[in-house]
Amino acid sequence: MSNKSLPIGFFDSGLGGVSVLAEAAGILPHESLIYLGDNAHNPYGTKDVADVKRYSLQAIDFLVHKGIKALVVACNTATSAAINDIRKILDMPVIGMEPALKPAVEKMDQGKIVVMATPVTLREKKFHTLLNQYGENRDVTLLPCPGLVELIERGIYYGPLVQEYLRNVFGGMETGNISSVVLGCTHYLFIKKELQKLFPLVEIIDGNQGTVKNLQRILHEKDLLADGKRKDRTITYFSSGEPEPFLPLCKELFQYYMKNNFKQA
Ligand code: DGL
């Protein structure tokens, strides 16, 4: 098999990276994709960075042994904790994620920008470098959301419990002047509708499309894009922990994302 027809590997601490997987499935319809949800160690975002790094390295080891041509770290938390180490080890394109602060700053020239992400992402140096670069002279509020990933992992991504969580987490904040909310965790893409209900006029921004376009550009530059006539691509899911109900939820969320973003089921 030529390198071009090998799959692209994706991993996250659990279900969140399925949003990136689905974005890639929509934009790159000829690519085979392999997904690993490290649900045995979920959540990453409230753990020690050293642990997140260790789990991330185990996850990529699993994917590399499956035979992949590129890796997407479909997790902002793992990217901030481990991307430098991963790039040192792997001899293939490695695409990471970061909260879409730059697009938010470019899109909205006034108002408060709220960045929702995990405590680890918001604490780590990588995000503070981004904040210094793009957040200067802007009203940027960091909103760590411990507990939200756990809710989504239970399959709760809509309905009253999510509304209650969001009302609480935004509870202490002046919200009238928010112009945009950045979803800085791949899990949060799935609660976008509930967030939009709470803030109908606010722009909600994420980095999924930017990440996949970046992946596409890099594969093109390295001559690694799959044959454009290919009809037999596959999408395969793995979990590091209990497969039930995790794997069925992966498929449910994949369909949900496709329906909402690519107008197809
Ligand atoms: N989905 C991950 C992210 O993008 C983190 C989830 C977790 O806390 O495990 O940050």
Side-chain angles (χ1 to χ4, degrees), residues 113-181:
I113 299 171
V114 179
V115 182
M116 294 173 73
T118 69
V120 168
T121 299
L122 295 179
R123 235 177 20 231
E124 278 302 288
K125 184 164 165 245
K126 198 168 185 303
F127 179 71
H128 287 273
T129 306
L130 191 73
L131 190 59
N132 289 336
Q133 202 176 351
Y134 299 105
E136 225 187 355
N137 305 321
R138 297 299 305 265
D139 178 1
V140 181
T141 298
L142 311 189
L143 187 63
C145 298
L148 184 52
V149 162
E150 288 92 322
L151 211 57
I152 297 163
E153 285 293 309
R154 283 162 55 205
I156 301 169
Y157 53 98
Y158 56 88
L161 284 178
V162 177
Q163 269 305 319
E164 190 187 319
Y165 180 94
L166 293 174
R167 281 177 199 279
N168 279 335
V169 85
F170 279 92
M173 196 190 296
E174 163 63 51
T175 54
N177 58 348
I178 300 176
S179 60
S180 60
V181 176

Side-chain angles (χ1 to χ4, degrees), residues 8-10 17-35 72 74 208-209 211-213 215-216 219 225-226 230 233-237 250-251 253-259 261-265:
I8 303 164
F10 293 73
V18 171
S19 65
V20 190
L21 180 84
E23 185 72 39
I27 294 181
L28 301 166
H30 309 291
E31 300 290 343
S32 282
L33 313 173
I34 293 189
Y35 186 80
V72 178
N208 276 15
Q209 196 185 77
T211 300
V212 173
K213 292 274 180 197
L215 166 69
Q216 185 177 35
L219 291 178
L225 281 172
R230 184 188 198 181
R233 75 96 159 261
T234 54
I235 300 177
T236 317
Y237 298 87
C250 283
K251 290 176 187 162
L253 288 173
F254 180 90
Q255 293 302 336
Y256 176 81
Y257 191 94
M258 291 304 269
K259 210 165 98 196
N261 294 279
F262 293 97
K263 310 280 174 235
Q264 64 180 78

Side-chain angles (χ1 to χ4, degrees), residues 95-106:
I95 288 87
M97 302 204 67
E98 63 185 15
L101 182 61
K102 179 174 183 256
V105 165
E106 286 169 354

Side-chain angles (χ1 to χ4, degrees), residues 11-20 35 38 41-47 52 73-80 97 116-121 145-150 153 183-189:
F11 90 93
D12 176 52
S13 66
L15 295 165
V18 171
S19 65
V20 190
Y35 186 80
D38 188 12
H41 301 118
N42 182 277
Y44 282 180
T46 46
K47 289 199 168 67
V52 176
V73 180
C75 174
N76 294 262
T77 310
T79 301
S80 48
M97 302 204 67
M116 294 173 73
T118 69
V120 168
T121 299
C145 298
L148 184 52
V149 162
E150 288 92 322
E153 285 293 309
L183 302 177
C185 166
T186 53
H187 279 76
Y188 303 169
L189 281 278

